Amino acid sequence: MDTDCIFCKIAAGDLPAKKVYEDDQIMAFFDIHPKASVHLLVIPKKHIATLNDLNTTDSALISKLVLALPEIAKEQKLEGFRVVVNNGPGSGQIVYHLHFHILGGKQIPTF
Ligand code: DGP
């Protein structure tokens, strides 16, 4: 755990979040500043700052997280959804704890 990291604090239960899924390794909760009618964040509980910081020992964890995305979306009754990962400077990443945005609900702009 990184004691300065907001998502580590959420993962540890030290900060509140509107959780929709949690197990021993990953957690999903609503984004505090939603950009879509359904906007969730899915995080590994382990502190990993960016995709660049992943290594092969994280393979099972990341596989589990990606496989959970459609399950979490299904729980929210989303048929289709967009997954976004902002990664590093210039990408829009604000929180340096790896997270996958799930965006869905009302039609979201395409690009
Ligand atoms: P990014 O720009 O990819 O780093 O996205 C960070 C997202 O995290 C942003 O959409 C707002 C959200 N966020 C920041 N702080 C909190 C928080 O304390 N709780 C929740 N639920 N979301 C947060």
Side-chain angles (χ1 to χ4, degrees):
M1 173 164 173
D2 178 333
T3 50
D4 292 329
C5 171
I6 203 157
F7 287 176
C8 281
K9 288 180 185 163
I10 288 174
D14 295 338
L15 272 183
K18 202 172 158 201
K19 272 185 266 177
V20 297
Y21 179 79
E22 180 175 15
D23 63 27
D24 57 329
Q25 291 183 303
I26 66 174
M27 183 185 278
F29 52 90
F30 281 95
D31 192 295
I32 207 167
H33 299 308
K35 307 283 192 308
S37 59
V38 178
H39 186 171
L40 300 169
L41 300 171
V42 187
I43 65 166
K45 288 188 171 178
K46 176 182 175 185
H47 184 78
I48 300 167
T50 74
L51 289 173
N52 305 35
D53 300 298
L54 288 170
N55 61 58
T56 52
T57 61
D58 299 311
S59 298
L61 172 62
I62 294 307
S63 171
K64 178 179 180 171
L65 191 155
V66 172
L67 288 169
L69 298 173
E71 298 300 324
I72 291 165
K74 200 168 155 189
E75 283 288 313
Q76 296 300 314
K77 315 261 187 267
L78 298 177
E79 275 187 44
F81 59 95
R82 183 176 300 161
V83 176
V84 173
V85 180
N86 294 320
N87 192 64
S91 72
Q93 184 173 9
I94 294 165
V95 178
Y96 276 74
H97 180 125
L98 182 62
H99 52 282
F100 289 61
H101 296 257
I102 292 179
L103 299 149
K106 289 189 198 133
Q107 184 68 46
I108 47 177
T110 52
F111 61 84

